[in-house]
Amino acid sequence: MPHWKFKLHEVIYEADTPAGKIFDIALLIVIFISVILVMMESVTSLLNKYAWEFYIAEWVITAIFSVEYVLRIIAINKPKRYIFSFYGIVDLLSTLPSYIGFIFGGANLLFAIRALRLLRVFRVLKVTRYIGESRKLISALRNSKAKILVFLFAVFIICIIAGTLMHLVEGKGGGFDNIPLSIYWCIVTLTTVGFGDIAPVTPLGRLIASIIMITGYGIIAVPTGIVSAEYSKATDKPIRNTQVCPNCNEGKHLDNAKFCHKCGFLLND
Amino acid sequence: MPHWKFKLHEVIYEADTPAGKIFDIALLIVIFISVILVMMESVTSLLNKYAWEFYIAEWVITAIFSVEYVLRIIAINKPKRYIFSFYGIVDLLSTLPSYIGFIFGGANLLFAIRALRLLRVFRVLKVTRYIGESRKLISALRNSKAKILVFLFAVFIICIIAGTLMHLVEGKGGGFDNIPLSIYWCIVTLTTVGFGDIAPVTPLGRLIASIIMITGYGIIAVPTGIVSAEYSKATDKPIRNTQVCPNCNEGKHLDNAKFCHKCGFLLND
Amino acid sequence: MPHWKFKLHEVIYEADTPAGKIFDIALLIVIFISVILVMMESVTSLLNKYAWEFYIAEWVITAIFSVEYVLRIIAINKPKRYIFSFYGIVDLLSTLPSYIGFIFGGANLLFAIRALRLLRVFRVLKVTRYIGESRKLISALRNSKAKILVFLFAVFIICIIAGTLMHLVEGKGGGFDNIPLSIYWCIVTLTTVGFGDIAPVTPLGRLIASIIMITGYGIIAVPTGIVSAEYSKATDKPIRNTQVCPNCNEGKHLDNAKFCHKCGFLLND
Amino acid sequence: MPHWKFKLHEVIYEADTPAGKIFDIALLIVIFISVILVMMESVTSLLNKYAWEFYIAEWVITAIFSVEYVLRIIAINKPKRYIFSFYGIVDLLSTLPSYIGFIFGGANLLFAIRALRLLRVFRVLKVTRYIGESRKLISALRNSKAKILVFLFAVFIICIIAGTLMHLVEGKGGGFDNIPLSIYWCIVTLTTVGFGDIAPVTPLGRLIASIIMITGYGIIAVPTGIVSAEYSKATDKPIRNTQVCPNCNEGKHLDNAKFCHKCGFLLND
């Protein structure tokens, strides 16, 4: 592995050198600009007025993302590790649509595909790595994930039963026209969102709705109890070593690691 | 008790043999299909288009459930234990309506009865038995049940008083036309659902509504505090022994139990 | 103090004898019936149809409550203690209106006064005394009251500032016509009720609304945190002695108390 | 520093002498009156009716605030410390607009500027200093600030992705006309506010909305868990020493401090 490749890897994949940090921040700014551009393009009045500027901006951003994608592949020993990782696929999906659109045309579908670029916004979450506080949060969430899913699953079954009941009580013709719609209303109600586009009108329907709401109010406590308990158990030792193995792209090394714990490759400090 | 009955009991009521697991999963799939069918039947456009297919599917599912019901009665020594248990009644209620409908006809009422089949969805919750995480959750919920009921009861009394007050302030003619309606609105508001189909319009009504909302916001904390405290006290030792007594259908045995703790019948491993 | 007075006091004010329990339960049933009657009277269609039945029922209930009120005054040595207590005033307010209505007539105002009878529903909360679980709950709530009030006060100040801002941004003509209305909307939004009768329409208004909502979502945690912490500290030793002093009406005695801790009067077991 | 200046400082900036307390309470009353006046002025019908009374009241309050502002500058050794502090700027902003309005006229803009006076309401929060209970609350909030911000940031990114998805699914023409609007709807939904001014109408849109709502219901637990954990760790030792250094305006001194810990100036008891 030549020295320039080592250097390039350090700049692109890591964040413990000044150059690496600057690269990270510059990339985040470009991502934010691209996200705001996609948002603005969806506003018809803006799109009609600044069509040309949007066209230019789109190609500039596509060019930057393409160069970044190629550099990321070059800078790593086993490129497949990156290409088939979550961020590798997201990075590809955020450059490809522009080229496809150039070749095939078709404005409407194009926009849908181009919106994929928004997925890049997930990369921003990587910054939370440097915020020690978020470590404990993520750990607590990971521990309570299974329990909260079981709970949400039970909530969903309650919604199926209550939705069917509301459909039978309120009858056809109103907002509870069929069971899927009634279940949708139940979810809206039980989660205390309450849009109000659908609302019961019969006295019995309102009585059942009251019971559903009070139930929702009573059981909202459950996920909170889980997270609270897990959070107070979780450790909040942040990972300070931001080095990433130049060979296999593994990122979670111990603070004093000199070799990659996965492939044995020498980590550069 | 003959050997085949032992085997049948093991497959139908337990889950620690491969055959028992396959039976459980197959049953869950059939239940899910029947639930989705009932939902789809309620959509008028789908019902008109695929009336014949729904008719066939209904009878196939009724047949499967009927066979399962008979097998469950055969496989146990004291069938009454099963027939009059919660799941026994639900299982009967989910097969009977189709036969009644066949004899008496009458489409509209029929659907209401057939929707009873949805109750089977509760059986899905049995799967949570295998998820160790849910054990602690259920234990915490059971411990906090009485306290949360007392709390919800107090909330309901607040709603009666506040509802009457809103009825007097907003007067007849609007959405607060009578006290039961005002109480319904109070529940909608205090639980932070807020449909908006009824909303105060007088300045004084809005002032009282503000107080109700801030109160609701302040006391939503109570059930959460209860569950959090109970949850951190609860043990999370899962029950791994899924054996069910072939004689009396008792399901909660200690991990190393050889005899049923209720009737002394020998448990097969 | 004659013996019959002792006996009467035991039946009316206490609950540790069979007669006392029966009296309590009978009273609760009458209260519930009177509450349901007031609710039903407010429904115009029911009132028109059953005017005569309501009239009879009202006088029967008024008679029962009047007799109870007089008995309560007789059964105690220092009647002022009862008359000027919270429940004493509520009891008077729930009998008086019917007599006033009889003398002065006037249906509309009358109903408003008669609705005062609903306040009796608070007496139902007295039952929670026998539920050991509620003891801890009340203790936790009492401890966190001051902190939650400070929090709700801070929330209210945020609503004043945010409401004024929304009024300036959304301008006159819409739902944010004046500052009190905007503050009302802010409370509706920050408490996550969200009726939707008033909703921002300008882009800037929606941006500010988003910030308000995310803030509300973030700070709903505060009262919960307070109650959780207080609840896990609170003791849950229930008070089992339900004796009430026949002299001064004091109700909170230690389990083994023989004399009233307030006036030294001998308590009958 | 002359003695009268010492005395003046004690009255205006501190609260441990009777005169200081009276000054504080009087000021709070004036602030509350001015806040209510600004609110009432925004109601068109009231403004038209009592224009002259509002005009008088405005100048009286402006005069009081101006005198207070000048006294605060005189009473301190280093006035810049006060002038450029948060409350210094707020105090200036709440007197200036009236004078500007007098010179330049212009009613509409004037009101917007005059509403700045509402910022003074923050000063009310200073009272919480005397409520021991709020100390622990503020400490818990300060500790959980960083974590809650990270969480709200993650929530916002979820809203961007989900909003774009809803825009693509629901299409143009409805309430999801462009991506910023869809993101606004997502925030309204995920925070369980649910205005209902925008609501999905396509089956797929409603399915995605259901997932968003259940997600919001599941993650509302996170900030609560954080605050609960931090709150039970926080100390609740109130600061009883309300002395403020007459030289540098520093306010947080230890209970037994004799000299300012920042500039060494002698504190008067």
Side-chain angles (χ1 to χ4, degrees):
Chain A
M1 198 170 181
H3 184 70
W4 64 267
K5 227 167 145 180
F6 254 125
K7 270 267 161 265
L8 191 64
H9 182 272
E10 205 167 277
V11 170
I12 295 182
Y13 285 99
E14 299 182 24
D16 54 358
T17 56
K21 265 189 190 160
I22 289 167
F23 179 84
D24 266 28
I25 291 164
L27 188 62
L28 286 183
I29 291 168
V30 176
I31 289 172
F32 261 118
I33 291 171
S34 82
V35 165
I36 289 163
L37 274 174
V38 174
M39 282 188 202
M40 281 163 63
E41 259 181 276
S42 75
V43 184
T44 317
S45 59
L46 284 176
L47 185 62
N48 293 340
K49 211 167 170 187
Y50 303 104
W52 180 245
E53 284 85 346
F54 278 126
Y55 188 78
I56 301 285
E58 194 202 325
W59 279 108
V60 170
I61 280 164
T62 304
I64 294 172
F65 282 172
S66 304
V67 169
E68 186 220 340
Y69 187 70
V70 172
L71 285 180
R72 277 190 188 269
I73 290 174
I74 292 173
I76 199 170
N77 257 9
K78 297 182 178 174
K80 277 182 189 171
R81 286 266 184 173
Y82 163 68
I83 292 170
F84 296 106
S85 70
F86 173 70
Y87 284 118
I89 292 164
V90 166
D91 287 354
L92 185 65
L93 285 176
S94 58
T95 49
L96 222 57
S98 302
Y99 296 111
I100 293 173
F102 185 70
I103 300 168
F104 295 100
N108 214 16
L109 181 75
L110 195 70
F111 179 77
I113 303 173
R114 212 150 61 210
L116 282 171
R117 200 187 290 156
L118 276 183
L119 286 174
R120 278 224 160 199
V121 92
F122 279 127
R123 197 177 276 280
V124 177
L125 288 178
K126 266 194 162 172
V127 195
T128 58
R129 198 164 45 159
Y130 311 124
I131 305 163
E133 276 91 3
S134 71
R135 182 71 29 195
K136 199 179 170 183
L137 192 60
I138 289 161
S139 153
L141 277 178
R142 198 167 291 160
N143 288 339
S144 35
K145 203 176 61 182
K147 288 161 215 176
I148 286 181
L149 281 179
V150 169
F151 169 74
L152 293 181
F153 184 64
V155 165
F156 187 66
I157 285 177
I158 292 172
C159 285
I160 290 177
I161 300 292
T164 309
L165 197 61
M166 286 301 288
H167 169 66
L168 295 174
V169 166
E170 287 278 319
K172 303 222 165 189
F176 299 86
D177 217 33
N178 54 55
I179 294 184
L181 209 58
S182 297
I183 292 173
Y184 165 71
W185 174 84
C186 260
I187 294 173
V188 170
T189 303
L190 202 71
T191 56
T192 78
V193 173
F195 284 131
D197 54 343
I198 308 171
V201 288
T202 63
L204 186 59
R206 280 173 166 161
L207 184 67
I208 298 169
S210 299
I211 295 166
I212 295 171
M213 280 178 268
I214 287 190
T215 308
Y217 195 58
I219 61 175
I220 205 170
V222 177
T224 310
I226 298 168
V227 175
S228 292
E230 294 298 335
Y231 185 77
S232 52
K233 280 197 297 182
T235 65
D236 55 355
K237 215 178 158 189
I239 292 175
R240 287 185 198 288
N241 190 337
T242 65
Q243 290 207 338
V244 177
C245 174
N247 188 40
C248 73
N249 215 22
E250 172 66 21
K252 286 167 189 164
H253 297 289
L254 290 175
D255 281 1
N256 54 356
K258 284 200 66 172
F259 294 92
C260 174
H261 70 94
K262 226 177 174 178
C263 68
F265 204 85
L266 182 76
L267 300 171
N268 51 333
D269 339 274
Chain B
M1 196 171 184
H3 185 69
W4 64 264
K5 226 168 146 178
F6 254 125
K7 269 270 160 264
L8 191 64
H9 183 273
E10 203 168 278
V11 170
I12 294 182
Y13 284 99
E14 299 183 24
D16 55 359
T17 56
K21 264 188 191 162
I22 289 167
F23 179 84
D24 266 30
I25 291 165
L27 188 62
L28 286 183
I29 291 168
V30 176
I31 289 172
F32 262 118
I33 291 170
S34 82
V35 166
I36 289 165
L37 274 174
V38 173
M39 283 188 202
M40 279 164 63
E41 260 181 278
S42 76
V43 184
T44 318
S45 60
L46 284 176
L47 184 61
N48 293 341
K49 212 169 169 185
Y50 302 105
W52 181 246
E53 285 86 346
F54 278 126
Y55 188 79
I56 301 285
E58 195 201 324
W59 280 109
V60 171
I61 281 165
T62 303
I64 294 172
F65 282 172
S66 304
V67 170
E68 186 220 340
Y69 187 68
V70 172
L71 285 180
R72 278 190 188 268
I73 290 173
I74 293 174
I76 199 170
N77 259 7
K78 298 183 178 171
K80 276 183 190 171
R81 285 269 184 171
Y82 163 69
I83 292 171
F84 296 105
S85 71
F86 173 70
Y87 285 119
I89 292 163
V90 166
D91 287 355
L92 185 66
L93 285 177
S94 58
T95 49
L96 221 57
S98 302
Y99 296 111
I100 294 172
F102 184 70
I103 300 167
F104 296 100
N108 214 17
L109 181 75
L110 194 71
F111 179 76
I113 302 173
R114 213 151 60 212
L116 282 172
R117 200 187 291 155
L118 276 183
L119 286 174
R120 279 223 161 199
V121 92
F122 278 127
R123 197 176 275 282
V124 178
L125 287 179
K126 265 195 164 173
V127 196
T128 58
R129 199 165 43 160
Y130 312 124
I131 305 163
E133 275 90 3
S134 71
R135 181 72 27 196
K136 199 179 170 184
L137 193 60
I138 289 161
S139 152
L141 277 178
R142 197 167 293 161
N143 288 339
S144 33
K145 204 177 61 184
K147 288 162 214 175
I148 286 181
L149 281 179
V150 168
F151 169 73
L152 293 182
F153 184 65
V155 164
F156 187 66
I157 286 177
I158 292 172
C159 284
I160 290 177
I161 300 292
T164 309
L165 196 63
M166 286 302 288
H167 170 66
L168 295 174
V169 165
E170 287 279 319
K172 301 222 166 190
F176 299 87
D177 217 33
N178 54 55
I179 294 183
L181 209 58
S182 296
I183 292 173
Y184 165 71
W185 174 85
C186 259
I187 294 172
V188 170
T189 303
L190 202 72
T191 56
T192 78
V193 173
F195 284 131
D197 54 343
I198 308 170
V201 288
T202 62
L204 186 59
R206 281 175 165 160
L207 184 68
I208 297 169
S210 300
I211 295 166
I212 295 170
M213 280 179 268
I214 287 191
T215 307
Y217 194 59
I219 62 176
I220 204 170
V222 177
T224 309
I226 297 167
V227 175
S228 292
E230 293 299 334
Y231 185 77
S232 51
K233 279 197 296 182
T235 66
D236 55 356
K237 215 178 158 190
I239 290 175
R240 287 186 199 286
N241 191 338
T242 65
Q243 291 207 335
V244 178
C245 174
N247 188 41
C248 72
N249 214 21
E250 172 67 21
K252 285 168 189 163
H253 298 289
L254 289 177
D255 283 1
N256 54 355
K258 284 201 67 173
F259 295 92
C260 175
H261 70 94
K262 229 180 173 175
C263 68
F265 204 84
L266 182 76
L267 300 172
N268 51 331
D269 339 273
Chain C
M1 195 170 184
H3 185 71
W4 63 266
K5 225 169 149 178
F6 253 125
K7 270 269 160 263
L8 191 65
H9 183 272
E10 204 167 276
V11 170
I12 294 183
Y13 285 99
E14 298 182 24
D16 54 359
T17 56
K21 265 190 189 160
I22 289 167
F23 179 84
D24 266 29
I25 291 164
L27 187 62
L28 286 183
I29 291 168
V30 176
I31 289 172
F32 261 118
I33 291 170
S34 82
V35 165
I36 289 164
L37 274 174
V38 174
M39 282 187 202
M40 279 163 64
E41 259 182 278
S42 75
V43 184
T44 317
S45 60
L46 284 176
L47 184 60
N48 294 340
K49 212 169 168 185
Y50 302 105
W52 181 246
E53 285 85 346
F54 278 126
Y55 188 78
I56 302 286
E58 194 200 325
W59 280 108
V60 171
I61 281 164
T62 303
I64 295 171
F65 283 172
S66 303
V67 170
E68 187 221 339
Y69 188 69
V70 172
L71 286 179
R72 278 190 187 270
I73 289 173
I74 292 173
I76 198 169
N77 259 8
K78 298 184 178 170
K80 277 185 190 170
R81 284 270 184 170
Y82 163 69
I83 291 170
F84 297 105
S85 71
F86 173 70
Y87 285 117
I89 292 163
V90 165
D91 287 353
L92 184 66
L93 285 176
S94 58
T95 48
L96 220 59
S98 302
Y99 297 110
I100 294 173
F102 184 70
I103 301 166
F104 295 102
N108 213 15
L109 181 73
L110 194 70
F111 178 77
I113 302 173
R114 212 151 61 211
L116 281 172
R117 199 186 293 156
L118 277 183
L119 285 174
R120 278 223 162 199
V121 93
F122 278 127
R123 196 176 277 279
V124 178
L125 287 179
K126 264 195 165 173
V127 195
T128 59
R129 199 165 45 159
Y130 311 125
I131 304 164
E133 277 90 2
S134 71
R135 182 71 28 196
K136 199 179 169 183
L137 192 60
I138 289 160
S139 151
L141 278 178
R142 198 168 291 161
N143 289 339
S144 34
K145 204 177 61 183
K147 288 161 214 176
I148 286 181
L149 281 179
V150 169
F151 169 74
L152 293 181
F153 183 64
V155 164
F156 187 66
I157 286 178
I158 292 173
C159 284
I160 290 176
I161 300 291
T164 310
L165 198 61
M166 286 302 287
H167 170 65
L168 295 174
V169 165
E170 287 279 318
K172 302 220 166 193
F176 299 87
D177 218 33
N178 53 55
I179 294 182
L181 208 58
S182 296
I183 291 172
Y184 165 72
W185 173 85
C186 259
I187 293 172
V188 170
T189 303
L190 202 72
T191 56
T192 79
V193 173
F195 285 131
D197 54 342
I198 309 170
V201 288
T202 62
L204 187 58
R206 282 176 164 159
L207 185 67
I208 297 169
S210 300
I211 295 166
I212 294 170
M213 281 179 267
I214 287 190
T215 307
Y217 194 60
I219 61 176
I220 205 170
V222 176
T224 309
I226 297 167
V227 175
S228 292
E230 294 298 335
Y231 184 77
S232 52
K233 280 198 295 183
T235 66
D236 54 356
K237 216 179 159 190
I239 291 175
R240 287 186 199 285
N241 191 337
T242 64
Q243 292 210 333
V244 178
C245 175
N247 189 40
C248 74
N249 214 20
E250 171 67 21
K252 286 169 189 162
H253 298 288
L254 288 177
D255 282 1
N256 54 355
K258 285 199 67 174
F259 295 93
C260 174
H261 70 93
K262 230 178 171 177
C263 68
F265 203 84
L266 181 77
L267 299 173
N268 52 332
D269 337 277
Chain D
M1 197 171 182
H3 184 69
W4 63 266
K5 226 169 147 178
F6 253 124
K7 269 268 161 263
L8 191 65
H9 183 272
E10 204 168 274
V11 170
I12 294 183
Y13 285 100
E14 300 183 23
D16 55 358
T17 56
K21 265 189 189 161
I22 288 167
F23 179 84
D24 265 28
I25 290 164
L27 187 62
L28 286 183
I29 291 168
V30 176
I31 289 173
F32 262 118
I33 291 170
S34 82
V35 165
I36 289 164
L37 274 174
V38 173
M39 282 188 203
M40 279 164 64
E41 259 182 277
S42 75
V43 184
T44 317
S45 60
L46 284 176
L47 185 61
N48 293 340
K49 211 167 169 185
Y50 302 104
W52 180 245
E53 285 85 346
F54 278 126
Y55 188 79
I56 302 285
E58 195 201 326
W59 280 108
V60 170
I61 281 164
T62 303
I64 295 171
F65 283 171
S66 304
V67 169
E68 186 221 340
Y69 187 69
V70 172
L71 286 179
R72 277 190 188 270
I73 290 173
I74 292 172
I76 198 170
N77 258 8
K78 298 183 178 173
K80 277 183 189 171
R81 285 268 184 171
Y82 163 67
I83 292 170
F84 296 106
S85 71
F86 173 71
Y87 284 117
I89 292 164
V90 165
D91 287 354
L92 185 65
L93 285 176
S94 58
T95 48
L96 220 58
S98 301
Y99 296 111
I100 293 173
F102 184 70
I103 301 168
F104 295 101
N108 214 15
L109 181 74
L110 196 69
F111 178 77
I113 302 173
R114 212 150 61 210
L116 282 171
R117 200 187 289 156
L118 277 183
L119 286 174
R120 277 224 162 199
V121 92
F122 279 127
R123 196 177 277 280
V124 178
L125 287 179
K126 265 194 164 174
V127 195
T128 59
R129 200 165 44 160
Y130 311 124
I131 306 163
E133 277 90 3
S134 72
R135 181 72 28 196
K136 200 179 169 183
L137 193 60
I138 289 161
S139 153
L141 278 178
R142 198 168 291 159
N143 288 339
S144 34
K145 204 177 62 182
K147 287 161 214 176
I148 286 180
L149 281 179
V150 168
F151 169 73
L152 293 181
F153 184 64
V155 164
F156 188 66
I157 286 177
I158 292 172
C159 284
I160 290 177
I161 300 292
T164 309
L165 198 61
M166 287 301 286
H167 170 65
L168 294 174
V169 166
E170 288 278 319
K172 302 221 165 190
F176 299 86
D177 218 33
N178 54 54
I179 294 182
L181 209 58
S182 297
I183 292 173
Y184 165 71
W185 174 85
C186 260
I187 293 173
V188 170
T189 304
L190 202 71
T191 55
T192 79
V193 172
F195 284 132
D197 54 342
I198 308 171
V201 288
T202 63
L204 187 58
R206 281 174 164 161
L207 185 68
I208 297 169
S210 299
I211 295 166
I212 294 171
M213 281 178 267
I214 287 190
T215 308
Y217 195 59
I219 61 176
I220 204 170
V222 176
T224 309
I226 297 168
V227 175
S228 291
E230 294 298 336
Y231 185 76
S232 52
K233 280 198 296 184
T235 66
D236 55 356
K237 216 179 158 190
I239 292 174
R240 287 185 199 285
N241 190 337
T242 64
Q243 291 209 335
V244 178
C245 173
N247 188 39
C248 74
N249 214 22
E250 173 66 19
K252 287 168 189 162
H253 298 290
L254 289 176
D255 282 1
N256 54 356
K258 285 199 66 172
F259 294 92
C260 174
H261 70 94
K262 226 175 173 180
C263 68
F265 203 85
L266 182 76
L267 300 171
N268 51 332
D269 338 275

